[in-house]
Structures are given as C-alpha cells and as structure tokens.
Amino acid sequence: CHLIHYLRLSHHLIVLNYLICTFDKLKSVSSEDINITDAVFDGVEVRVFEPPAKQDERLKRSVVYIHGGGWALASARTSLYNNLCRIMAESLNAVVVSVEYRLVPEVCFPEQFHDALRATKHFLQPDVLAKYSVDPSRIAISGDSAGGNLAAAVCQQLSKDEHLTIRPKLQALIYPVLQAFDFNTPSYQQNMNMPVLPRYVMINYWIDYFNGNYDLAHSLLINNHTALDVGQALSFRGRLNWTSLLPSSFKKNYKPVIQTTGKAEIIQEIPALLDVRAVPLLAENETLQLQPKTYILTCENDVLRDDGVMYAKRLENAGVEVTLDHFDDCFHGCMIFTIWPTDFSAGVQTRNSYIKWLDENL
C-alpha cells in the first residue's frame, strides 16, 4: 500500500482495492444455513444475510452493518466481511444488511455518508422490514473503523429526522474513526508507527475522503488546522478536550499539541474537517442526547483508541447508556481477521465480545 502510494500508480487506492477484491471477492453464494442475496436499497447496493425461518417464529432482529477500509477499501462482498456478517446472522438469528457504499476515489465526502444514510432509511421503512420479517423495535446500526464513522454519523442524522417512525434501538461501533480535529491525542502519539494503521496513513485516508491535497498532511499532523487563532475551530475545542475526556490510564504522560498560530486556510480549503457528518465526535450535546444505547469497542494498539473512548465519555455525559469494551492486547482492524491465513486470536476475542453484547441487548 505504501509503495503504491509513494509511486502514485494511477490512484493508489484504486490499485490496492483492485488487488484486494480480485484476490478476495466472493460470488453471491448462500451458505447452508444463511440465505445471502444482493439487493439495491434506494440506489445503494447491499448484501442481505437471512437466517432460515423457524417454526412459530414471528419477527427477527436485524443489524445494518457498514464495513471499514478508510472509506476507500474493501467491500461487503469480500470474504472477511462476508464471513463476519454471516456469523452475526447465524449467532444472533438476525437479518444482517451489509452496505456496499461507493468508495474513494470514485466519490468523496459526503457521498459515502449519503449512501449509508439512504440505504439505512430505505431499510427502516415498514414495508421493507415486513418483507424481511424484521422486528422494527429491534434494529441496530453498526460498523468498524471508517464504517463505524459512517454508522455514528448516520445514527446522529436519523435521531434528528422528525419524519422517521422507526429508528435504531442500538448502535455498535468497532474501533471507529470519529474526528480529524486532533492528530496528537495520546493514542495517536503512542501508536503513531503502529502497523496496520500508522498515523500518517490515517491522515492520508482523511485527505482522500475530503478530496484534499497531500501537501496539507504535515500541517494536519501538527494540528495547524485547529490552532488557537483558527476561529472556525474555536467553538469545537471544548467538545474534544482529551485532557478531561480520557482517563489517566490512557492519558499517561502525553501532552496536548495545541498550536498558538496555525493555518486557517486549511479549514477554508477543507471545511469538512469540522462537518459533524464526517466527524461525529464534534456533534453538539443536544444531538448526543438523542443517541440510542451504544457499544464502542476500542483497542490499545490503535491510533483511533481515544476517538472511541472520548465518544463514549461524551455520550455518557449526555445521558446515553454506553458500554466501552476495551482490549489491551488488540490492534486496529483485528475483528475481521478470523479466517485463514489471517486467523488471529484477537479477532475471535473481539468478535465474540461484540456479538455477545448485541445478543444481550438487541
């Protein structure tokens, strides 16, 4: 990935995703116990996993799942996500809808958000839920990494939609990426060179998502875009103060990186850096109060650890019931690595904990 990025071969994300999907993509083949079909929800492709109907069973639970990959990689159809959603459907006896949103560089923000929102709202229609025999009071929205970002943003938007009659009962976010305000939280500093997701790779994902210029990467890395003299960022600073939102065990001895003077033109060039549809952690308290019961999974060896921990604290402060499920010995992305040749104990451990919470609360 880094070599492709460095050499600027076509667009590095196109090349990388082509390799991933060519090697990995599955056809729409049903397993013995789960019926797997592809559909289109309001113009957005989805893959639906349906357990067989049981005698005397009325309606099933359901999970809308949004895959990760930096808004640019992977697919609902790759074996890793196909396997995860199939196991969820089997374990929960639930209908799982996996959203195949469009990717960078074909589209950039806010189109991924719009795709996820449209597909979810379509599924929440009473007639669609009836078609899939889904209980409208037992629906969760979930996602990992960039998919966790989209799930949180969609959940916030749904909570403010006065025309909706059905909303998710739960949200479950797996090591979500939730902010581009501060790239020097303790977890960003601690794990800046951690494999799978180093800090500079995450910053480049953000730049790609916003269709920005890679020349801004260093300024973002040192928080020039949210310096004290950048007026557009001032109103958001109190919503992302990790010195008050993180426990001491996460803060350790790290110090905040707050520039006195920065570059306001970065926000002018990329206003989405402060758009809550892209950075759900910056949402106002009035929106957070409307969120459903929440599960957030975080990993110690992950630059995004503190995004999830801070969101959990802000939701809790807003009166939302939150379960923060933290794993000291796990890493970003581990939950989908449960099949050969990337079958890690960390993947099984986190996946089982996540599914257990859904089973107990959905």
Side-chain angles (χ1 to χ4, degrees), residues 38 65 68 85 159 221 230 249 255 272 308 321 330 333 336 351 353:
D38 291 327
Y65 195 85
C85 291
S159 72
L221 187 148
V230 178
S249 59
K255 304 299 181 186
E321 185 177 348
C330 293
I336 60 172
R351 186 190 66 194
S353 188

Side-chain angles (χ1 to χ4, degrees), residues 174-204:
I174 313 303
Y175 30 75
V177 48
L178 298 170
Q179 60 89 24
F181 191 94
D182 185 354
F183 291 108
N184 290 275
T185 63
S187 63
Y188 263 113
Q189 295 187 56
Q190 173 184 310
N191 299 300
M192 66 173 66
N193 295 314
M194 186 64 62
V196 180
L197 191 64
R199 176 169 60 174
Y200 81 93
V201 171
M202 188 64 245
I203 290 174
N204 283 338

Side-chain angles (χ1 to χ4, degrees), residues 51-290:
K54 297 180 179 179
Q55 281 189 341
D56 301 326
E57 183 181 53
R58 294 183 180 178
L59 299 175
K60 285 184 166 58
R61 305 182 279 190
S62 184
V63 179
V64 175
Y65 195 85
I66 309 174
H67 72 80
W71 307 282
L73 303 175
S75 163
R77 299 182 177 95
T78 55
S79 65
L80 295 174
Y81 285 107
N82 201 86
N83 183 61
L84 171 63
C85 291
R86 179 183 56 78
I87 289 176
M88 288 167 58
E90 289 176 347
S91 302
L92 299 170
N93 189 37
V95 175
V96 177
V97 176
S98 188
V99 181
E100 185 79 328
Y101 57 92
R102 291 169 295 165
L103 302 174
V104 170
E106 176 192 354
V107 298
C108 298
F109 176 81
E111 297 309 316
Q112 286 84 348
F113 166 77
H114 286 154
D115 284 357
L117 180 63
R118 287 204 315 274
T120 304
K121 288 182 71 172
H122 178 86
F123 183 62
L124 293 177
Q125 294 178 106
D127 59 329
V128 178
L129 295 178
K131 174 185 175 182
Y132 290 102
S133 299
V134 168
D135 185 340
S137 68
R138 303 177 75 190
I139 301 168
I141 183 166
S142 183
D144 65 293
S145 194
N149 168 282
L150 295 170
V154 166
C155 206
Q156 289 183 6
Q157 187 65 32
L158 295 176
S159 72
K160 297 183 288 186
D161 190 332
E162 298 177 354
H163 302 292
L164 274 185
T165 57
I166 299 170
R167 292 186 175 87
K169 177 184 181 182
L170 308 171
Q171 67 174 336
L173 312 177
I174 313 303
Y175 30 75
V177 48
L178 298 170
Q179 60 89 24
F181 191 94
D182 185 354
F183 291 108
N184 290 275
T185 63
S187 63
Y188 263 113
Q189 295 187 56
Q190 173 184 310
N191 299 300
M192 66 173 66
N193 295 314
M194 186 64 62
V196 180
L197 191 64
R199 176 169 60 174
Y200 81 93
V201 171
M202 188 64 245
I203 290 174
N204 283 338
Y205 277 137
W206 276 115
I207 291 172
D208 286 322
Y209 188 36
F210 295 147
N211 197 25
N213 190 321
Y214 290 122
D215 291 343
L216 298 176
H218 179 70
S219 287
L220 293 172
L221 187 148
I222 61 175
N223 291 343
N224 269 345
H225 60 304
T226 53
L228 294 176
D229 67 337
V230 178
Q232 303 98 310
L234 284 179
S235 62
F236 294 97
R237 186 166 297 282
R239 301 179 193 177
L240 202 160
N241 178 6
W242 62 256
T243 62
S244 63
L245 291 172
L246 294 178
S248 57
S249 59
F250 288 169
K251 288 187 287 189
K252 300 182 174 69
N253 294 318
Y254 292 105
K255 304 299 181 186
V257 175
I258 303 174
Q259 306 295 347
T260 303
T261 58
K263 295 183 177 180
E265 59 268 24
I266 297 175
I267 299 296
Q268 294 166 4
E269 183 175 335
I270 312 179
L273 284 163
L274 299 177
D275 189 323
V276 295
R277 297 174 302 168
V279 287
L281 183 53
L282 297 186
E284 58 188 9
N285 288 333
E286 290 78 5
T287 298
L288 298 187
Q289 291 169 359
L290 301 174

Side-chain angles (χ1 to χ4, degrees), residues 284-301:
E284 58 188 9
N285 288 333
E286 290 78 5
T287 298
L288 298 187
Q289 291 169 359
L290 301 174
Q291 300 315 295
K293 189 173 184 178
T294 299
Y295 171 92
I296 300 177
L297 187 151
T298 57
C299 297
E300 181 67 21
N301 305 306

